Structure formats: structure tokens, C-alpha cells
């Protein structure tokens, strides 16, 4: 009992250590990999360029659902890496423990064929190696399609989750429009894609199981058949035969690790491929800015200059109705676009975020510029943090923050400055636009470029915005890109984009 207690205690320590090492390794790997992908994704311009690449190459799928690749795929990859690595290590230890036993038991093995005796050192060991290798090669051949199926399945799962989140966030509009049945059909369509891939996955798993299970059952009799000639010829006693069978099974089991884990390895390789494809896409997207066929952007100019700028989309190119345009500080200029897509493309081109096209753009210093989107981004945190984003809240005095809110008709939010909530859900579109205007009052940038944001305001809010630009932001230049072709004396000059046909 004392000896048993010592052995059991040692094994318990080893088991606990293995569990701790397993979980810690997975945790550290996920922390490192996720932080690395976040750093690559959030590098300047990369996330936008990757997302915008789909407008130039609609078939590009690597940019779809980056949240899934960073969250789910990295979790699956790191967890499976830890589990498979420990399993492989255990199988290696098992092989090292019994390969010597099997060799010693069969090192003088004599095989009689046609009356001739042939000595094959380690015959039973070689049989175990051949048996395991054949099973590994066959399972690799049958399980190869599971890698691509696993990648496709993860992509379709991401599409379904995105559709569900989108429906959840738009439940008010869906209900009010009476579109529940139509939305259900869309969601079921996405679900059908997942189910179709899962059916293919199930079929190939069944085929792979026929190999792994078949080799497992055959392993019960193969060592006896292999060792039987030595037993019947008197080279092995019955006890040695049983030891040989046991050692054969242990060696064969360790070598069959690949066969038994073929499905898990295929899933692991699929997750690895999705993560690496995403990371490689993030790194290679930088090559876009090194291409000769692109819009050249320079900074630190005294004015904003567009010289022969033509932005390229999938099937057309757009530019201005003038060959060159220079906007001085304090000017108010409007560019009327025909469609929302033209707005977005030209807005991004002026911002230096749309490299596809040709021409030259000279921008003022980035620190003096602010871009106002039609759908402003509202980060999480307190309202004071939202107003200061991306700076620290302490950068602005409390009196200035309160004045900015009251000036933009958001005085009712002053008591909630320290409240932490989903402000993008709490505020309607007009209030979010007013919040963006309050940020402009706090920062007072010299250059402001807007995308449909002013045109979407009601008349009362529009008058308030124009008043702010005539007073608090009187020294700021405003470039407004809009599809609302309404002349306004507020703007000193107006221009129109023109199409240049297919690139």
C-alpha cells in the first residue's frame, strides 16, 4: 500500500501537471496569436484596404468575417494545436517505451519460405511499422478533402452568424416593415448553405471512420497472425507470444496516432489555413500601395489639391468635371455625386484610403484633418470617452465638453457624461451626427471632409450645423461629398464627378 500510494501520488502529480500545461499552453498560444492578428489587422489602412478589396475583386473571400477568423478560428487552432501536440508527445513516449521490447523479442525471428529459412531481425517490429504506415497513408488520402470542406464550413458558419447578428440589430425595422417571413427565408437560405457543407463533411467523416475503425478492429488479430509462425515453430513460448502481442499493440497504437486523429488533423489544418490566409492577406495588402497603377497621395501640403484624380471601381472609373482642383483653407466646397457608391469611393479617395485609380492628391497634415462619415462610428465607453475618441478624455476641459453638447442640441446628455453604455444603440442617427459635430467643436480641425452627413440632417439640424461652421468652425475648410444636388449659398464652389467608363 505504501508503494501503491507513492506511485498513485506521482501519477496524480503528473496528471495535474499535464492538465495545467495543456490549458496554459492553449491560453498562451491564443493570447499571442490573437494579439498578433489584431496588430496586423489594426495597422493603419489595412483593415479598410482588406474590406475594400472586395469592391475591386468581388470574388475575394478572405476579407469576409474577419471577426470570426480572429476569434473563432484562432480559438479552434490553438486549442487543437495543444491537444494534438500533447497526444503526439504521449504517442512518441509510448513508441519509445515498447519499440525496444518488440525488437528484442523478434530480433532472431526466422521465417521459413519454400523450405528455406530467412532470418529477419525485428520482423514483428517492421510489420507493426508497415501496418501503421499503410493506415496513415490511406487515412491521409481519404481525409484530404476534409481540409477544404472544413474551411468552407467555417466560412459558411461565419456568414450565418453575420446574418443572425444583422437581423438581431435590425429587428425594429424588420418588425415595422412586416418583413419577418422574408428575413426568415434569408436566414434559412444561409442555414441551408451550412447544412449542405455539413452533409458533405458527414459523408467524408463516415468514409474516414471506415478506415480508422477497420484498422482498429484488425489490430486485434494482426499481431497474432504475424507472431504465429514463430510460436508454432517453437521460437516463442505462449507467454512470449502474449508479451509480443501486447508490445505490438502498444507500438501500433502509438504509430496509429495519425490514423486515429485524421479528422482532428484535417480540422486543425482547415483552421490553420484560414488563419494563415487571413494573416497573409493582411501582409500582402500593403503591396497595393506599392503598385504603380494607383492614386499617389502626399501629405503636409498647405492646401488640398486633386490633380487628375480618377478612382477605379470594378466596372467603371470616376473623376471630377475639372482636371485639377485646389481647395484653400477656410473654403466651403461641395461635390455632388450621382450615387451613394460614388460618394463612398470619392470620399475614401480624398481621404487617401482608396489607392485604386490614378492621379495625385496632396493633403494637409493629417493632424489638421477630420473625416465625418454619414454613419459615424461610436466606440464603447462613457459619453465623455466617446466625445474624446481617439484621444484621452482628460485632453478636453469639462466646460468645453458641456458647451459642445449644448451647442449641438445635446444638452440633455450632459448628466450622462460618465455613463457607460452602447451609445451607438442609445442614440438615433441625427443624435450621432450631432455628437460628431460636438467632437469637431472640441477639436476645431482646419480641414473637414464629410460624406452625406450634412445632407441627411433635417432642416432644423442643418441650420444649426451651418451656424457652427459660420462661428466656432469659421476658419475650417469644408469639403462635402453628397448626392443631394441642392444648391446652397453656404458653399462657394460646386463640382460633379463624371464617369470614365470601364477601366
Amino acid at each position: 500500500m505504501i508503494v501503491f500510494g507513492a506511485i498513485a501520488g506521482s501519477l496524480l502529480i503528473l496528471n495535474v501537471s499535464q492538465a495545467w500545461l495543456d490549458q496554459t499552453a492553449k491560453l498562451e498560444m491564443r493570447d499571442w496569436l490573437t494579439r498578433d492578428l489584431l496588430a496586423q489587422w489594426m495597422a493603419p489602412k489595412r483593415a479598410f484596404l482588406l474590406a475594400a478589396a472586395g469592391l475591386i475583386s468581388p470574388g475575394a473571400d478572405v476579407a469576409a468575417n474577419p471577426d470570426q477568423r480572429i476569434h473563432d478560428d484562432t480559438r479552434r487552432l490553438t486549442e487543437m494545436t495543444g491537444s494534438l501536440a500533447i497526444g503526439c508527445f504521449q504517442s512518441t513516449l509510448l513508441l519509445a517505451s515498447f519499440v525496444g521490447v518488440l525488437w528484442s523479442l523478434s530480433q532472431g525471428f526466422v521465417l521459413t519460405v519454400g523450405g528455406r529459412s530467412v532470418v529477419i531481425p525485428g520482423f514483428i517490429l517492421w510489420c507493426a511499422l508497415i501496418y501503421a504506415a499503410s493506415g496513415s497513408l490511406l487515412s491521409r488520402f481519404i481525409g484530404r478533402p476534409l481540409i477544404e470542406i472544413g474551411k468552407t464550413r467555417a466560412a459558411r458558419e461565419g456568414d450565418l452568424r453575420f446574418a443572425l447578428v444583422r437581423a438581431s440589430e435590425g429587428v425594429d425595422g424588420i418588425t415595422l416593415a412586416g418583413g419577418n417571413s422574408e428575413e426568415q427565408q434569408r436566414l434559412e437560405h444561409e442555414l441551408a448553405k451550412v447544412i449542405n457543407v455539413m452533409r458533405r463533411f458527414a459523408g467524408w467523416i463516415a468514409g474516414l471512420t471506415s478506415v480508422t475503425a477497420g484498422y482498429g478492429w484488425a489490430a486485434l488479430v494482426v499481431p497474432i497472425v504475424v507472431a504465429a509462425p514463430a510460436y508454432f515453430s517453437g521460437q516463442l513460448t505462449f507467454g512470449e507470444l502474449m508479451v509480443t502481442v501486447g508490445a505490438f499493440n502498444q507500438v501500433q497504437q502509438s504509430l496509429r496516432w495519425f490514423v486515429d486523429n485524421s479528422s482532428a488533423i484535417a480540422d486543425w489544418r482547415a483552421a490553420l489555413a484560414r488563419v494563415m490566409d487571413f494573416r497573409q492577406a493582411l501582409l500582402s495588402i500593403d503591396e497595393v500601395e506599392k503598385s504603380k497603377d494607383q492614386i499617389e497621395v502626399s501629405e503636409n501640403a498647405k492646401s488640398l489639391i486633386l490633380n487628375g484624380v480618377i478612382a477605379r471601381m470594378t466596372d467603371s472609373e470616376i473623376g471630377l468635371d475639372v482636371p485639377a482642383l485646389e481647395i484653400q483653407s477656410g473654403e466651403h466646397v461641395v461635390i455632388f455625386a450621382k450615387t451613394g457608391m460614388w460618394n463612398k469611393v470619392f470620399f475614401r479617395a480624398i481621404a487617401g484610403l482608396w489607392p485604386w485609380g490614378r492621379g495625385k492628391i496632396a493633403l494637409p497634415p493629417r493632424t489638421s484633418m477630420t473625416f465625418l462619415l454619414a454613419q459615424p462610428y461610436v466606440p464603447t465607453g462613457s459619453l465623455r470617452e466617446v466625445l474624446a475618441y481617439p484621444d484621452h478624455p482628460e485632453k478636453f476641459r469639462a466646460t468645453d465638453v458641456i458647451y459642445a453638447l449644448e451647442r449641438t442640441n445635446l444638452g440633455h446628455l450632459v448628466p450622462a457624461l460618465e455613463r457607460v453604455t452602447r451609445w451607438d444603440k442609445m442614440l438615433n442617427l441625427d443624435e450621432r451626427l450631432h455628437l460628431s459635430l460636438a467632437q469637431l467643436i472640441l477639436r476645431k480641425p482646419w480641414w473637414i471632409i464629410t460624406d452625406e452627413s450634412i445632407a441627411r440632417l433635417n432642416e432644423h439640424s442643418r441650420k444649426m450645423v451651418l451656424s457652427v461652421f459660420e462661428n466656432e468652425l469659421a476658419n475650417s475648410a469644408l469639403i462635402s461629398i453628397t448626392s443631394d444636388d441642392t444648391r446652397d449659398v453656404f458653399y462657394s464652389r460646386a463640382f460633379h464627378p463624371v464617369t470614365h467608363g470601364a477601366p
Side-chain angles (χ1 to χ4, degrees):
M1 292 302 295
I2 293 175
V3 173
F4 171 77
I7 295 174
S10 300
L11 291 176
L12 178 61
I13 293 174
L14 289 175
N15 287 336
V16 172
S17 300
Q18 175 182 321
W20 178 85
L21 179 63
D22 179 26
Q23 296 301 317
T24 302
K26 292 176 182 177
L27 183 150
E28 293 295 335
M29 283 190 293
R30 184 177 183 186
D31 179 61
W32 169 78
L33 181 57
T34 304
R35 289 180 184 276
D36 176 74
L37 289 180
L38 286 174
Q40 300 297 339
W41 188 44
M42 286 289 103
K45 297 186 181 181
R46 275 187 183 170
F48 169 80
L49 289 174
L50 189 66
L55 297 175
I56 297 299
S57 303
D61 191 41
V62 71
N65 304 316
D67 55 310
Q68 184 193 31
R69 295 177 186 258
I70 295 175
H71 181 266
D72 287 348
D73 290 339
T74 55
R75 175 184 57 80
R76 290 172 50 240
L77 177 60
T78 53
E79 289 182 356
M80 288 189 293
T81 298
S83 299
L84 290 173
I86 288 179
C88 184
F89 179 69
Q90 290 176 331
S91 296
T92 302
L93 290 180
L94 188 65
L95 177 63
S97 301
F98 287 93
V99 69
V101 176
L102 198 58
W103 175 270
S104 63
L105 288 173
S106 60
Q107 61 180 348
F109 185 87
V110 178
L111 182 65
T112 303
V113 180
R116 298 181 59 183
S117 297
V118 180
V119 178
I120 305 177
F123 173 75
I124 300 178
L125 175 61
W126 293 118
C127 289
L129 293 175
I130 294 172
Y131 180 78
S134 63
S136 298
L137 291 174
L138 185 58
S139 62
R140 177 182 174 83
F141 174 76
I142 294 178
R144 181 180 291 273
L146 287 173
I147 300 172
E148 196 62 35
I149 294 175
K151 290 173 61 179
T152 305
R153 178 183 176 182
R156 298 293 82 79
E157 293 279 7
D159 293 340
L160 175 60
R161 185 181 64 179
F162 176 78
L164 290 170
V165 171
R166 189 169 181 270
S168 176
E169 292 181 345
V171 66
D172 293 350
I174 295 172
T175 303
L176 293 174
N180 298 74
S181 59
E182 288 76 7
E183 198 64 30
Q184 180 181 345
Q185 291 178 4
R186 291 192 183 94
L187 294 175
E188 289 178 350
H189 177 68
E190 296 295 336
L191 176 62
K193 294 180 182 179
V194 175
I195 298 302
N196 288 335
V197 176
M198 290 182 67
R199 285 198 179 98
R200 292 175 55 203
F201 187 79
W204 283 101
I205 284 292
L208 184 61
T209 302
S210 66
V211 175
T212 58
Y215 267 76
W217 287 111
L220 297 176
V221 296
V222 167
I224 298 177
V225 173
V226 171
Y231 171 71
F232 287 118
S233 64
Q235 299 178 51
L236 294 176
T237 65
F238 183 77
E240 290 175 331
L241 174 65
M242 292 297 99
V243 172
T244 301
V245 170
F248 182 98
N249 285 330
Q250 294 294 342
V251 171
Q252 186 271 146
Q253 180 182 349
S254 63
L255 292 173
R256 282 183 66 250
W257 176 85
F258 182 85
V259 178
D260 294 336
N261 292 277
S262 295
S263 176
I265 292 174
D267 195 20
W268 173 80
R269 291 182 64 184
L272 176 64
R274 280 179 57 81
V275 170
M276 293 308 298
D277 288 348
F278 179 67
R279 191 177 189 279
Q280 184 58 38
L282 289 172
L283 296 176
S284 61
I285 201 68
D286 291 340
E287 298 299 322
V288 172
E289 296 191 302
K290 299 177 182 179
S291 173
K292 294 182 180 179
D293 185 19
Q294 66 168 4
I295 300 173
E296 297 181 24
V297 180
S298 60
E299 298 183 8
N300 299 321
K302 294 182 178 181
S303 58
L304 194 152
I305 303 173
L306 306 178
N307 189 5
V309 174
I310 295 178
R312 174 166 54 88
M313 294 191 293
T314 305
D315 55 359
S316 64
E317 294 180 336
I318 58 172
L320 285 177
D321 53 358
V322 292
L325 171 62
E326 182 174 2
I327 303 173
Q328 301 293 339
S329 178
E331 273 196 277
H332 296 166
V333 175
V334 61
I335 299 175
F336 296 114
K338 292 182 179 179
T339 66
M341 180 59 70
W342 284 26
N343 287 348
K344 293 181 182 298
V345 170
F346 219 74
F347 176 82
R348 292 167 177 174
I350 293 177
L353 296 178
W354 191 270
W356 299 280
R358 57 186 181 273
K360 297 180 180 180
I361 298 178
L363 296 176
R366 284 281 176 178
T367 54
S368 66
M369 302 178 68
T370 294
F371 298 90
L372 189 59
L373 293 168
Q375 295 284 347
Y377 172 68
V378 181
T380 56
S382 67
L383 185 59
R384 187 185 298 276
E385 291 172 331
V386 171
L387 283 166
Y389 181 83
D391 299 316
H392 195 276
E394 294 180 357
K395 180 178 179 179
F396 305 105
R397 296 182 300 178
T399 54
D400 294 337
V401 172
I402 294 174
Y403 173 79
L405 287 176
E406 292 176 344
R407 182 68 174 86
T408 54
N409 300 334
L410 295 176
H412 59 283
L413 295 179
V414 171
L417 271 173
E418 306 303 330
R419 182 181 175 185
V420 178
T421 186
R422 285 285 305 273
W423 289 105
D424 57 329
K425 297 296 183 183
M426 296 292 294
L427 304 176
N428 59 37
L429 179 57
D430 275 359
E431 288 175 322
R432 295 202 300 273
L433 291 171
H434 287 200
L435 199 64
S436 297
L437 186 61
Q439 292 175 318
L440 295 179
I441 294 175
L442 287 174
R443 289 187 174 82
K444 293 182 173 58
W446 288 100
W447 299 86
I448 301 169
I449 296 92
T450 72
D451 171 25
E452 290 276 12
S453 52
I454 297 178
R456 293 191 177 187
L457 294 170
N458 58 45
E459 188 62 27
H460 176 71
S461 298
R462 182 181 173 85
K463 289 180 179 178
M464 180 270 295
V465 171
L466 299 183
S467 172
V468 169
F469 274 100
E470 290 172 351
N471 294 279
E472 287 85 354
L473 301 176
N475 296 323
S476 300
L478 173 65
I479 299 95
S480 180
I481 304 173
T482 176
S483 58
D484 182 15
D485 196 355
T486 301
R487 301 290 175 175
D488 197 318
V489 294
F490 175 73
Y491 298 106
S492 57
R493 291 191 288 171
F495 302 92
H496 292 81
V498 292
T499 181
H500 288 262

